[in-house]
């Protein structure tokens, strides 16, 4: 009976793995000759439209800031979340790190108790994003309730649009009712109720009527937009011209002396946000040049400039040629600025993008140290486990994965210096394999549990009491681990091996029940 059960399950698993390998090859393949750069190998997706507009919502200044001690402490807390949730997934980690790699359980746990490598710090993008959502707790709603009560208190002397306080009061009562009547069956509603109250508070805040400095600043924005229009209007695309005209008209309707419109905080913030896309692009480009020079040179103001960073193969140095590559792009950008006459805004923005990419490339050319090599070694171990598990000589040779493992080894043994760029590439290319590895081994363990459970309830045979107790104990432990929140590949594998041995021992004691 066990053979029949296992055969059927193994056939189903084999079919699933065939389809998964199609996904693996299309995701991680790096064969550029076939036109596929591999979705898993993209180092960064920049949001450019057909006119080469750069992503206005991307904070380049934040991106290039160094990681401070507060950020380090916050990362450790998020790494602790990963230790708690485990699974080789990225629950609780910043989305930038989620997109950039895989951190094995053991190493993540180690980093929560001490410092973590420079290369890992460089990967942080936005600590407020990620799969973990702190709003999905009852305590979060209770905190929002306190915030709403404070805003509605008589001590709040700010002026709001009519009915603004009534609307917030209605949302507050609804949230309080939810908390008061909450039971465990409503856990999936916490996020929804949290978002409702948060949205009501945001709407209330935006309904504050403002004047004074806000109106003064709005007039300054209007003046800047008017100057921008005079300098760049004929260089804008038609759609951008319309947006600019409408924005100027809207702001003017609030700033004219006889305006009857009430300026709210929400309207003001929208004006500020929309006006940001019409800043002088040439000034932004000049600022980026200054940033690049500060990164590259000891003193950018000197006539004879000296490179700040050394090149070589030691940790903390940069790949040979990195300094000259960035310097060349800086000079090209400076020549563009000096010769600027009537280029369109998209051309200016594309020049900005080119220099920004050169800065990113330079930063990623830094040579990483032993901590990052240790991370890479752990990733390689699991890739080898994947290879050993799924390799089939003809039908599934895994040539791309084999090449990836071999390439990694040249950086692990320091034949080649491990740069941030190469490190990112390895993590990107590995993530899909490791996810499939964990998915597959969990399925395999579940299959073993199904076989064991079927045997334990079998009434057609009697079995040895000792063997039954041993198998039942292992089934209980394996099932609890599989359904837990944290997993390690080797532990999952050990449970499979142990169950197979105990099942064999259990079946060896079988005695057919004879019915009189």
């Amino acid at each position: 009976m066990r053979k029949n059960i296992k055969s059927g399950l193994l056939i189903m698993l084999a079919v699933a793995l065939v389809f998964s390998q199609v996904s693996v090859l299309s995701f991680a393949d790096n064969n550029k000759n076939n036109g596929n750069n591999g979705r898993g190998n993209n180092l960064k997706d920049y949001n450019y439209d057909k006119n080469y507009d750069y992503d206005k919502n991307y904070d380049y200044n934040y991106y290039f800031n160094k990681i401070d001690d507060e950020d380090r402490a916050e990362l450790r807390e998020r790494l602790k979340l990963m230790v708690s949730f485990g699974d080789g997934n990225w629950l609780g980690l910043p989305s930038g790190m989620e997109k950039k790699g895989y951190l094995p359980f053991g190493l993540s746990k180690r980093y929560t108790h001490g410092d973590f490598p420079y290369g890992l710090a460089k990967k942080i993008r936005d600590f407020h994003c990620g799969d973990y959502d702190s709003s999905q707790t009852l305590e979060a709603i209770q905190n929002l309730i306190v915030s709403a009560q404070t805003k509605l208190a008589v001590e709040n002397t700010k002026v709001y649009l009519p009915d603004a306080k009534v609307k917030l009061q209605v949302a507050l009562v609804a949230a309080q009712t939810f908390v008061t009547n909450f039971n465990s069956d409503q856990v999936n509603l916490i996020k929804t109720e949290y978002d409702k109250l948060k949205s009501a508070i945001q709407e209330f805040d935006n309904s504050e009527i403002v004047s004074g400095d806000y109106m003064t600043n709005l007039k300054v924005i209007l003046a800047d937009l008017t100057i921008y229009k005079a300098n760049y209007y004929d260089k804008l695309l038609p759609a951008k011209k319309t947006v600019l005209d409408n924005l100027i008209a809207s702001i003017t309707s609030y700033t004219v002396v006889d305006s009857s419109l009430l300026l709210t905080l929400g309207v003001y913030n929208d004006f500020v946000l929309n006006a940001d896309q019409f800043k002088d692009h040439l000034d932004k480009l000049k600022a980026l040049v200054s940033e690049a020079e500060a990164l590259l040179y000891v003193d950018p103001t000197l006539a004879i400039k000296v490179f700040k960073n050394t090149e070589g193969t030691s940790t903390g140095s940069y790949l040979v040629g990195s300094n000259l590559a960035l310097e060349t792009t800086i000079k090209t950008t400076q020549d563009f600025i000096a010769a600027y006459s009537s280029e369109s805004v998209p051309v200016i923005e594309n020049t900005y993008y080119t220099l920004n990419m050169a800065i990113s490339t330079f930063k990623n050319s830094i040579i990483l140290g032993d901590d990052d090599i240790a991370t890479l070694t752990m990733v390689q171990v699991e890739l080898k486990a994947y290879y050993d598990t799924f390799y089939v000589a003809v039908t599934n040779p895994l040539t791309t994965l084999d090449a990836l493992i071999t390439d990694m080894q040249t950086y692990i043994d320091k034949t080649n210096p491990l740069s941030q760029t190469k490190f990112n590439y390895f993590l990107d290319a590995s993530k899909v394999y490791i996810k499939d590895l964990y998915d597959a081994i969990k399925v395999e363990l579940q299959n073993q549990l199904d076989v064991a459970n079927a045997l334990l309830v079998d009434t057609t045979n009697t079995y040895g009491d000792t063997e039954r107790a041993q198998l039942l104990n292992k089934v209980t432990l394996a099932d609890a681990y599989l359904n837990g929140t944290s997993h390690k590949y080797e532990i999952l594998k050990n449970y499979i091996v142990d169950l197979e041995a105990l099942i064999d021992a259990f079946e060896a004691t079988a005695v057919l029940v004879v019915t009189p």
Side-chain angles (χ1 to χ4, degrees):
M1 179 178 65
R2 177 198 170 205
K3 292 182 178 178
N4 292 334
I5 295 175
K6 292 184 69 175
S7 298
L9 292 172
L10 289 174
I11 291 173
M12 293 174 62
L13 179 60
V15 172
L17 290 177
V18 169
F19 285 103
S20 71
Q21 289 314 297
V22 175
S23 173
V24 167
L25 293 176
S26 64
F27 190 99
D29 181 24
N30 197 35
N31 182 4
K32 296 183 178 180
N33 294 327
N34 64 14
N36 175 26
N37 189 39
R39 291 182 291 114
N41 294 337
N42 292 333
L43 296 180
K44 176 68 180 173
D45 294 325
Y46 284 85
N47 182 21
Y48 276 72
D49 62 22
K50 62 183 180 179
N51 297 309
Y52 303 102
D53 286 339
Y54 65 89
D55 186 354
K56 306 296 189 307
N57 295 320
Y58 190 78
D59 188 348
Y60 293 100
N61 291 327
Y62 178 79
Y63 175 81
F64 291 126
N65 283 343
K66 293 184 177 179
I67 306 304
D68 58 28
D69 291 338
E70 182 179 351
D71 291 337
R72 290 173 184 266
E74 185 168 4
L75 176 61
R76 291 193 188 99
E77 291 304 311
R78 292 180 179 274
L79 288 174
K80 289 179 182 177
L81 287 172
M82 182 186 174
V83 172
S84 298
F85 290 105
D87 246 10
N89 61 38
W90 292 87
L91 286 170
L93 292 182
S95 62
M97 290 181 64
E98 176 189 8
K99 295 174 182 176
K100 282 298 178 188
Y102 168 81
L103 193 63
F105 173 87
L107 201 59
S108 69
K109 187 172 183 180
R110 170 180 151 204
Y111 288 158
T112 65
H113 299 293
D115 204 359
F116 52 91
Y118 176 67
L120 183 59
K122 285 170 65 64
K123 293 158 67 57
I124 300 170
R125 298 295 181 268
D126 182 358
F127 288 119
H128 301 291
C129 293
D131 294 324
Y132 175 72
D133 191 344
S134 62
S135 67
Q136 296 181 14
T137 65
L138 204 61
E139 183 182 2
I141 299 182
Q142 292 169 331
N143 291 337
L144 275 186
I145 288 175
V146 173
S147 176
Q149 290 171 329
T150 302
K151 293 177 183 295
L152 290 173
V154 294
E155 289 80 10
N156 184 3
T157 58
K158 295 177 180 178
V159 180
Y160 297 87
L161 291 175
D163 297 331
K165 291 188 176 181
V166 174
K167 291 180 180 179
L168 181 57
Q169 182 65 42
V170 171
L172 173 60
V173 171
Q176 290 172 322
T177 302
F178 176 80
V179 171
T180 301
N181 300 326
F182 176 78
N183 61 68
S184 58
D185 295 334
Q186 297 175 300
V187 66
N188 292 331
L189 298 177
I190 292 178
K191 179 68 163 60
T192 300
E193 295 301 321
Y194 175 92
D195 289 342
K196 286 181 182 178
L197 183 54
K198 183 178 180 180
S199 177
I201 292 175
Q202 184 64 56
E203 182 179 351
F204 179 76
D205 288 341
N206 286 337
S207 69
E208 179 190 350
I209 299 173
V210 296
S211 57
D213 289 342
Y214 289 96
M215 186 60 71
T216 300
N217 292 338
L218 197 59
K219 291 177 181 179
V220 172
I221 291 173
L222 178 61
D224 289 342
L225 289 174
T226 303
I227 295 172
Y228 181 93
K229 181 175 181 178
N231 292 334
Y232 293 101
Y233 195 75
D234 60 334
K235 303 177 183 68
L236 294 174
L237 298 172
K240 284 287 186 68
K241 289 181 179 180
T242 301
V243 173
L244 178 58
D245 288 338
N246 291 340
L247 182 58
I248 290 176
S250 296
I251 295 178
T252 300
S253 67
Y254 281 88
T255 57
V256 293
V257 176
D258 57 348
S259 175
S260 60
L261 298 175
L262 294 175
L263 179 64
T264 64
L265 184 61
V267 171
Y268 173 82
N269 288 337
D270 285 342
F271 281 146
V272 172
L273 179 64
N274 292 327
D276 186 65
Q277 63 182 302
F278 296 108
K279 289 182 178 178
D280 190 320
H281 295 284
L282 212 55
D283 283 349
K284 293 174 68 175
L285 187 57
K286 292 175 183 177
L288 190 63
V289 169
S290 298
E291 179 184 330
E293 287 185 314
L295 176 67
L296 187 61
Y297 302 121
V298 174
D299 186 351
T301 63
L302 297 178
I304 301 177
K305 295 178 173 56
V306 178
F307 291 135
K308 181 187 298 183
N309 303 289
T310 59
E311 295 181 343
T313 59
S314 59
T315 302
S317 61
Y318 289 75
L319 292 174
V320 175
S322 299
N323 288 326
L324 286 177
L326 179 56
E327 184 178 56
T328 298
T329 307
I330 290 174
K331 289 181 177 179
T332 300
T333 306
Q334 290 172 326
D335 291 342
F336 172 84
I337 293 173
Y340 177 78
S341 57
S342 60
E343 287 79 2
S344 65
V345 170
V347 174
I348 300 173
E349 293 172 343
N350 191 52
T351 305
Y352 183 102
Y353 162 75
T354 301
L355 178 56
N356 189 63
M357 282 296 295
I359 292 173
S360 178
T361 299
F362 177 81
K363 289 186 173 184
N364 283 328
S365 69
I366 190 170
I367 306 301
L368 304 181
D370 291 339
D371 281 337
D372 292 291
I373 292 176
T375 300
L376 191 62
T377 302
M378 291 186 177
V379 172
Q380 189 197 50
V381 167
E382 298 201 337
L383 289 181
K384 288 179 178 178
Y386 182 100
Y387 185 87
D388 293 339
T389 303
F390 300 122
Y391 171 80
V392 180
V394 177
T395 58
N396 194 28
L398 296 175
T399 53
T400 301
L401 176 58
D402 185 44
L404 180 64
I405 293 172
T406 302
D407 192 17
M408 276 187 181
Q409 189 58 45
T410 65
Y411 293 86
I412 292 172
D413 61 22
K414 299 185 179 181
T415 300
N416 293 319
L418 179 63
S419 68
Q420 184 71 58
T421 297
K422 197 65 179 181
F423 185 66
N424 291 347
Y425 162 73
F426 282 138
L427 296 181
D428 282 340
S430 301
K431 189 167 61 173
V432 65
Y433 292 109
I434 292 172
K435 180 183 183 303
D436 283 358
L437 179 67
Y438 272 83
D439 289 346
I441 197 168
K442 288 179 186 178
V443 171
E444 187 179 352
L445 179 55
Q446 185 60 61
N447 291 341
Q448 289 294 324
L449 287 171
D450 291 342
V451 171
N453 284 321
L455 288 171
L456 288 170
V457 298
D458 176 28
T459 59
T460 62
N461 296 281
T462 60
Y463 299 90
D465 292 339
T466 300
E467 288 75 13
R468 176 181 291 277
Q470 291 175 341
L471 180 58
L472 180 59
N473 179 63
K474 186 63 67 173
V475 166
T476 302
L477 293 174
D479 185 71
Y481 186 77
L482 180 60
N483 290 291
T485 57
S486 178
H487 302 93
K488 291 180 67 176
Y489 177 81
E490 286 304 318
I491 295 178
L492 292 168
K493 189 69 175 177
N494 288 338
Y495 272 123
I496 292 172
V497 173
D498 292 345
L499 282 172
E500 286 181 337
L502 290 172
I503 288 172
D504 287 340
F506 185 69
E507 286 187 313
T509 67
V511 176
L512 182 66
V513 175
V514 179
T515 304

